[in-house]
Amino acid sequence: MASAAVAMTKLGQAVIDRIGNTPMLRLDRIVSHLPGITLLGKAEFANPGGSVKDRPASSIVRAAMAAGELGDIQPERSLLDATSGNTGLAYAMLGAALQFPVTLCVPASASPERKKMLHAYGAEVIFTPAGDGSDGAIRKVRELYGASPEKYFYADQYGNDNNWLAHYRTTANEIWEQTEGRITHFIAAMGTSGTFMGNTRRLRELNPRIQCISMQPDSPFTGLEGLKHMPTAIVPPIYDPNLADRNIWAETEPAYAMCKRLGREEGLLVGVSAGANVNTALQIAEEEYAAGREAVIVTILCDGAEKYLSERFWTED
Amino acid sequence: MKIHIPTPLRAYTDKQETVSAGGATVAAGLESLVQQFPAMRQHLFTPDGKLRSFVNVYVNDEDVRYLPEKEHTAVAEATELTIIPSIAGGAPCIASCCCR
């Protein structure tokens, strides 16, 4: 009995069981000039779908299945959303693993790697004009959903509380345990804001003194894909602007530079939002060191670099 | 030439979706654009004048970086340029689109 339970919890039985419980990595070389500072990255690229988005996607899907909105009760019903990003990949993976249909509206300008991955998982992909960007994809989702709402479960990651709850229930508790409660700062970039909201709410319950710092691109026109410049966007329904102790505005180019540095100095090939997170965490680390304080700073390594390797910055000076 | 402006940058073009620009090459057209709308410059170019690496410019649907003459590609009156941020992932304006 006990060994069966161990097999379930430690090994898991299916892809969905492998979501979460990701490693925490020390980024010692990035802060080697700052004695007393520990910088840690939560390796979300280790999730089976390759990104942190496996957590909210599985949380949204599990809730929909439990409510009978998706799955065996309505086997023809398709999960619908507009995303060419990691959430789309997570939905597509879960659709294959749990055998429900997935329909994604994707701008034609999405990278060939992503298109191929979505196809490989068997998701139905509807391409929208590249020039219309994600607006075009969203318009298409609304058109499809408006025409036949009975055919679809509209996942709506921006407005779905199961997004941030995924982090409240899992990621934050893992961070607390992996740092043995020593975490002093938590830093996360915001797209839907789910990662920041969920982790911050739970970490504050565990220790109200933890500084929780959000990060956004410094401009609405940014190379930090998936991240949102809140002042110029209509705010995601799940976002609470009063939660952060502080917000940092991130530039694109230093995030690119940090991606290259993590590859060469730590052997970690991470995506652009992870680079932005680590660069922001380094900024906090330098401030804490300058103030003469010790700190245990945790940030999120949202995904790996493989989906971004055709970006020019890897080879540009 | 006509330059199509992506949604996040329309804040700097008085909300215009397309802007007419002069010049005989792609580079000249972009320079004409930032002269008309100086706030655009920092979004398109690095301080040393290079196109920022996540900014993609298409000439009639061809990525200018993959054309033989790159930004020196000649353009005609009827040429259409499109500026598109690199979107290898994510969907930065989903909330702004779906919550209106």
Side-chain angles (χ1 to χ4, degrees):
Chain A
M1 213 38 210
S3 64
V6 166
M8 279 288 287
T9 54
K10 295 288 186 193
L11 302 176
Q13 294 192 324
V15 161
I16 195 164
D17 300 322
R18 303 307 301 154
I19 295 172
N21 291 311
T22 52
M24 185 74 92
L25 304 178
R26 294 180 69 100
L27 306 176
D28 287 344
R29 292 202 183 98
I30 304 299
V31 289
S32 58
H33 60 305
L34 307 172
I37 302 290
T38 303
L39 177 57
L40 301 168
K42 185 79 169 137
E44 291 299 296
F45 54 77
N47 283 303
S51 86
V52 65
K53 292 296 193 176
D54 282 8
R55 295 184 194 252
S58 67
S59 171
I60 287 169
V61 163
R62 281 180 207 255
M65 292 181 103
E69 295 187 58
L70 202 59
D72 292 343
I73 297 168
Q74 305 191 67
E76 303 298 316
R77 207 162 190 226
S78 192
L79 180 150
L80 175 69
D81 221 336
T83 162
S84 59
N86 285 322
T87 311
L89 290 170
Y91 290 145
M93 175 190 74
L94 292 165
L98 302 173
Q99 292 292 290
F100 61 82
V102 173
T103 304
L104 300 171
C105 293
V106 174
S109 47
S111 75
E113 293 96 327
R114 283 181 195 256
K115 291 176 185 168
K116 286 177 183 171
M117 290 169 85
L118 293 172
H119 178 76
Y121 281 128
E124 180 191 12
V125 180
I126 296 167
F127 291 112
T128 55
D132 295 348
S134 42
D135 295 33
I138 265 291
R139 278 198 294 271
K140 188 69 186 171
V141 163
R142 290 162 137 197
E143 180 192 315
L144 290 170
Y145 187 67
S148 18
E150 72 289 351
K151 276 194 186 170
Y152 298 108
F153 163 66
Y154 181 21
D156 184 20
Q157 60 165 332
Y158 285 84
N160 194 323
D161 282 333
N162 288 299
N163 176 344
W164 68 266
L165 281 167
H167 296 287
Y168 179 88
R169 293 175 184 136
T170 68
T171 325
N173 295 305
E174 292 169 29
I175 290 170
W176 183 254
E177 286 169 20
Q178 286 170 312
T179 60
E180 297 175 320
R182 292 187 306 120
I183 174 175
T184 58
H185 295 74
F186 174 73
I187 290 145
M190 296 191 294
T192 67
S193 78
T195 304
F196 185 76
M197 294 292 117
N199 279 296
T200 295
R201 288 194 176 116
R202 180 64 184 138
L203 288 170
R204 288 252 176 83
E205 287 176 359
L206 293 163
N207 176 2
R209 295 179 63 198
I210 297 171
Q211 291 286 302
C212 296
I213 298 152
S214 62
M215 182 262 282
Q216 304 170 47
D218 66 342
S219 151
F221 192 66
T222 172
L224 303 177
E225 295 125 350
L227 305 190
K228 187 181 286 296
H229 182 252
M230 297 293 181
T232 55
I234 290 181
V235 171
I238 63 169
Y239 175 55
D240 174 0
N242 299 315
L243 203 59
D245 288 299
R246 178 179 168 193
N247 181 74
I248 288 187
W249 304 98
E251 290 179 65
T252 298
E253 283 81 1
Y256 286 167
M258 182 55 81
C259 288
K260 292 161 86 166
R261 213 182 143 192
L262 286 166
R264 289 168 193 187
E265 295 182 30
E266 298 281 3
L268 279 172
L269 288 181
V270 297
V272 174
S273 50
N277 270 341
V278 174
N279 198 59
T280 305
L282 174 57
Q283 186 180 328
I284 299 296
E286 285 171 342
E287 288 178 12
E288 289 302 300
Y289 177 75
R293 291 189 286 262
E294 295 194 344
V296 176
I297 301 171
V298 176
T299 193
I300 303 289
L301 306 177
C302 318
D303 67 357
E306 62 274 10
K307 295 180 292 272
Y308 310 92
L309 288 174
S310 54
E311 297 287 322
R312 285 176 290 270
F313 73 85
W314 295 101
T315 48
E316 286 176 349
D317 290 332
Chain B
M1 77 198 80
K2 192 153 91 175
I3 304 181
H4 294 273
I5 309 298
T7 315
L9 288 181
R10 288 179 200 157
Y12 312 105
T13 59
D14 303 329
K15 299 188 178 161
Q16 294 177 66
E17 294 179 24
T18 58
V19 172
S20 293
T25 64
V26 172
L30 293 174
E31 184 56 32
S32 161
L33 173 68
V34 298
Q35 289 204 353
Q36 292 177 65
F37 302 102
M40 289 279 271
R41 186 179 295 275
Q42 60 163 319
H43 296 286
L44 297 182
F45 296 103
T46 60
D48 57 1
K50 276 175 60 185
L51 202 57
R52 294 180 75 180
S53 57
F54 62 92
V55 179
N56 294 329
V57 177
Y58 289 78
V59 182
N60 298 335
D61 296 333
E62 297 275 352
D63 187 334
V64 70
R65 284 189 172 89
Y66 299 110
L67 292 174
E69 303 195 50
K70 301 189 186 327
E71 67 270 28
H72 303 299
T73 301
V75 295
E77 185 67 35
T79 301
E80 298 199 3
L81 296 193
T82 307
I83 299 169
I84 297 183
S86 173
I87 57 154
C93 76
I94 276 187
S96 62
C97 310
C98 69
C99 305
R100 250 173 222 148

